[in-house]
Amino acid sequence: LSHEVHELYVGEPAGKRFIDNGKVSAPEPVKSKISPMNGNVYITQNLHEAYHHYLKVVTTNLEGLKMGAKRMKSYQIIQSSQLSYYRNDLVPEAKFILDLSPISVSYRTTSRHW
């Protein structure tokens, strides 16, 4: 079961736009984990094969990520995918398994006057 992930993002779309447009400062490693599967293609070569995607979702607080007085949260996705094989009597299916992390991460910018 081949498939393509056009866009996968967790959270408010406005938050992602703020990060993508540079209105909110986010470290590069965080930016790459906001939507890591976008544009990925998963191709299977044989019948009775499908990819299973395991997604660890981590709440991420970025300084300045707010709309008006409302603070928004962003979410990093740590993903791994594996090809799974099915018996001949089963129908293969692409699976997305989400695991919400009990830990959150906060980023803020500080400066020091010399």
Side-chain angles (χ1 to χ4, degrees):
L1 181 66
S2 298
H3 59 281
E4 178 179 0
V5 178
H6 293 281
E7 185 172 2
L8 178 66
Y9 171 73
V10 178
E12 297 184 47
K16 183 174 184 325
R17 279 195 307 275
F18 289 162
I19 294 167
D20 289 345
N21 295 338
K23 292 182 180 177
V24 174
S25 176
E28 284 304 319
V30 172
K31 288 180 184 179
S32 67
K33 291 183 180 81
I34 297 293
S35 48
M37 297 182 77
N38 286 5
N40 289 358
V41 178
Y42 300 89
I43 299 173
T44 57
Q45 301 297 324
N46 302 305
L47 296 174
H48 302 289
E49 295 178 347
Y51 279 93
H52 293 179
H53 307 284
Y54 300 92
L55 310 171
K56 171 73 84 175
V57 179
V58 181
T59 304
T60 305
N61 300 303
L62 296 171
E63 184 179 49
L65 185 59
K66 58 184 174 180
M67 185 177 290
K70 180 185 176 192
R71 295 203 60 193
M72 292 187 288
K73 294 187 185 309
S74 183
Y75 299 88
Q76 294 182 71
I77 300 172
I78 313 301
Q79 70 99 19
S80 68
S81 301
Q82 71 177 34
L83 184 61
S84 296
Y85 301 95
Y86 286 78
R87 294 188 327 237
N88 289 342
D89 60 333
L90 297 176
V91 177
E93 57 189 2
K95 290 185 181 181
F96 292 81
I97 297 104
L98 285 104
D99 180 17
L100 303 177
S101 175
I103 296 173
S104 69
V105 179
S106 296
Y107 291 94
R108 63 187 166 113
T109 305
T110 60
S111 62
R112 182 179 297 185
H113 297 285
W114 293 98

